[in-house]
Amino acid sequence: MNIRKIGVIGAGLMGAGIAQVAAQAGYQVILRDLEDKLVEKGFSVIKKNLEKAQSKGKLTKDEVQEVLGRMSTTTQLGDLQDADLIIEAIIEHMPIKKELFTQLDQICKPEAIFATNTSGLSITELATVTKRCQQVIGMHFFNPVPVMKLVEIIRGEETSTEVLEVIRQVTEKMGKESITVNEAPLFAVNRILVPMLNEAMFVLMEGIAEAEDIDKGMCLGANHPIGPLALADLVGLDTLLFVMETLHKETGDSKYRPCPLLRQKVRAGHLGKKTGQGFYKY
């Protein structure tokens, strides 16, 4: 299948980033969110990113205009009816994603591929609400999308080999590298990463080391670019708690139990960088 037009649903940081790299790769892109102010905010972030790249000499003024010219915004799902590929980047809540995919299945052309940017929810379960299970796949981008090189491509139970290959080619055209993962709770990267962040919280809670020393130890001792507690603050502690609870529930394995300190922080409303306080103050 030849992908020419991509619909991106969700104009937050992830959705805007996906729309940007898709447009820079030469695709026609339509960015959709629920309200005008949301799509306008997402589009302004993209414009700012491109102008920043121009100021650094990475793009010319004409190239910036060409990228922006390949983009449009909407609040109407019906405007996505002729998209070849839909990439969903909305809230990590299965019932809401299912409702969206049910609507898309009725609106979009039969050959359109549906991809979800979920970081750990079941591709197979999401596909069941459509009549195109073989054309539903996971495309897990990493934040910030324009910078991070990896896309996890997740194959659901019924995802076809042909669709998998199409998405690999799209990913490559976007300038990304991909890894292919069979569906499992949290897939591959987060399955390894999230328990590490959780364990760093146990080390802090148990008084083994202070937050700064835990992060310094992992940066200098394991060559990580950012310490686990600082990274947790960046991701959002509420998001991490949700992900840990999902992993624990899906596997039934006690080794994935969320750290009580994480629950305490979330209950206090200290969610990390986005609220100005988490394991650190900002």
Side-chain angles (χ1 to χ4, degrees):
M1 182 179 180
N2 192 12
I3 305 295
R4 292 191 180 90
K5 189 171 189 178
I6 297 177
V8 179
I9 302 179
L13 280 178
M14 292 300 290
I18 294 166
Q20 178 185 325
V21 297
Q24 283 185 266
Y27 294 108
Q28 291 293 322
V29 176
I30 181 164
L31 180 62
R32 187 263 181 183
D33 213 315
L34 294 171
E35 300 175 15
D36 286 327
K37 65 180 181 181
L38 297 175
V39 288
E40 287 166 9
K41 184 179 179 181
F43 189 78
S44 69
V45 168
I46 294 168
K47 192 168 183 286
K48 185 178 178 182
N49 285 345
L50 294 172
E51 288 171 348
K52 187 176 180 181
Q54 180 189 335
S55 70
K56 292 182 176 180
K58 294 179 180 178
L59 291 172
T60 66
K61 186 177 180 180
D62 286 346
E63 286 171 335
V64 169
Q65 292 307 310
E66 284 173 12
V67 172
L68 293 174
R70 284 193 284 271
M71 298 189 65
S72 60
T73 60
T74 186
T75 57
Q76 304 300 314
L77 271 184
D79 291 339
L80 303 175
Q81 61 183 339
D82 61 343
D84 303 307
L85 168 63
I86 301 288
I87 303 176
E88 166 271 312
I90 66 169
I91 187 170
E92 283 285 78
H93 189 56
M94 181 62 84
I96 295 176
K97 288 184 188 290
K98 280 183 171 180
E99 183 181 347
L100 174 64
F101 272 52
T102 300
Q103 293 174 325
L104 289 170
D105 197 44
Q106 297 167 354
I107 291 167
C108 295
K109 56 190 180 183
E111 65 270 27
I113 296 170
F114 292 174
T116 174
N117 181 54
T118 180
S119 59
L121 297 179
S122 170
I123 311 302
T124 302
E125 182 178 346
L126 187 53
T128 60
V129 300
T130 75
K131 295 184 176 76
R132 61 184 84 203
C133 292
Q134 291 188 326
Q135 294 155 232
V136 179
I137 196 165
M139 285 183 82
H140 179 211
F141 291 80
F142 290 79
N143 192 29
V145 177
V147 176
M148 299 295 279
K149 296 293 289 182
L150 181 68
V151 175
E152 260 185 321
I153 300 176
I154 305 96
R155 189 173 194 165
E157 181 69 25
E158 296 189 46
T159 306
S160 73
T161 302
E162 180 187 2
V163 165
L164 181 67
E165 187 53 40
V166 168
I167 295 303
R168 275 193 191 131
Q169 291 171 9
V170 169
T171 301
E172 188 176 329
K173 190 173 176 182
M174 287 181 180
K176 306 297 183 186
E177 293 192 33
S178 67
I179 59 172
T180 304
V181 181
N182 291 322
E183 181 172 309
L186 298 197
F187 313 139
V189 174
N190 281 342
R191 179 70 170 266
I192 298 165
L193 174 66
V194 171
M196 185 197 76
L197 304 186
N198 196 51
E199 195 62 30
M201 296 170 204
F202 273 109
V203 171
L204 178 64
M205 185 183 76
E206 292 168 17
I208 296 169
E210 296 296 324
E212 292 83 356
D213 284 343
I214 292 168
D215 280 357
K216 184 178 179 181
M218 293 306 293
C219 287
L220 301 183
N223 203 28
H224 290 191
I226 182 172
L229 298 175
L231 179 56
D233 277 353
L234 184 62
V235 170
L237 302 189
D238 53 338
T239 302
L240 274 178
L241 179 58
F242 172 76
V243 169
M244 281 303 302
E245 286 176 332
T246 300
L247 182 58
H248 190 204
K249 181 182 175 183
E250 286 284 329
T251 62
D253 194 327
S254 63
K255 73 179 179 181
Y256 296 125
R257 70 203 184 286
C259 178
L261 181 58
L262 175 59
R263 291 191 187 280
Q264 184 179 324
K265 294 279 186 187
V266 172
R267 284 171 179 160
H270 300 158
L271 308 182
K273 207 164 186 179
K274 62 187 172 184
T275 59
Q277 186 173 346
F279 292 105
Y280 297 97
K281 288 187 177 180
Y282 299 91

